[in-house]
Amino acid sequence: MAFASCRQWPFVLAAILYSRHAGAAPEDGQWSQDPGSHCSFVAPASLTAGPTFWIGACIDGKASGEGMLRRRDGDKAGPAFFGRMKDGIPEIGIIDLADGYRAGSFSDGDIGGQADPPQDMIDAFRVAAKAARLVSAKYAAEKNARSARHYEELAQTLEQQTD
């Protein structure tokens, strides 16, 4: 077994420190956790602070794939992110706000920066519609027809945004 020379130690130490922090929170977001499932994620800034719940896959303790992050205050629903997560970090989707949608890729801690090209906006609505359908299917499986219908209708509305 070979050991690194003294001249190589700073590089070895840097590689170890980098690998330990590679899964840490990105500089443009703070880790949160679903209060029920304990699945971890970085919530887009547009969701504001507070209890946020994830509906979707949770791989290795982190939100993954298509799904919904929903902000809640008690029994009152707040804004929601519909989109795709990777290792707990949003990639692309929409934020459903009271006064409209914010759509695009995740950057600088939020969804839908001003520099997003039009194709990213279209892709964001398509991914969001897929995520809303996944949420609808979850509620249908739980025999919650009202919520299943609501999210299916939302998926159709999101698809219409790409026309």
Side-chain angles (χ1 to χ4, degrees):
M1 177 183 218
F3 291 96
S5 71
C6 289
R7 294 170 70 206
Q8 293 174 317
W9 275 109
F11 300 107
V12 171
L13 182 58
I16 291 169
L17 289 174
Y18 175 77
S19 68
R20 282 192 161 176
H21 294 288
E27 290 179 26
D28 56 355
Q30 181 177 349
W31 286 101
S32 298
Q33 195 175 69
D34 181 295
S37 70
H38 304 292
C39 193
S40 296
F41 51 84
V42 172
S46 294
L47 291 183
T48 66
T52 305
F53 297 82
W54 169 247
I55 295 178
C58 188
I59 299 172
D60 296 328
K62 294 180 181 172
S64 300
E66 282 82 15
M68 175 183 73
L69 285 172
R70 169 71 73 184
R71 167 96 160 61
R72 296 195 67 83
D73 287 316
D75 62 349
K76 188 175 180 182
F81 164 75
F82 293 89
R84 184 171 52 234
M85 305 283 281
K86 182 177 181 185
D87 297 324
I89 310 294
E91 286 187 315
I92 190 169
I94 64 108
I95 305 286
D96 186 1
L97 299 163
D99 59 350
Y101 300 111
R102 227 183 128 93
S105 299
F106 182 74
S107 64
D108 298 327
D110 211 351
I111 291 293
Q114 295 176 348
D116 280 339
Q119 187 60 50
D120 280 4
M121 305 285 275
I122 292 168
D123 293 344
F125 277 102
R126 287 182 178 148
V127 169
K130 185 176 178 183
R133 283 211 166 81
L134 180 140
V135 173
S136 174
K138 177 214 177 270
Y139 283 117
E142 294 175 355
K143 308 288 189 226
N144 183 339
R146 183 172 175 227
S147 291
R149 186 173 39 258
H150 169 76
Y151 287 106
E152 177 57 37
E153 289 171 0
L154 178 61
Q156 292 172 10
T157 299
L158 295 171
E159 284 176 336
Q160 290 172 0
Q161 305 302 310
T162 64
D163 293 340

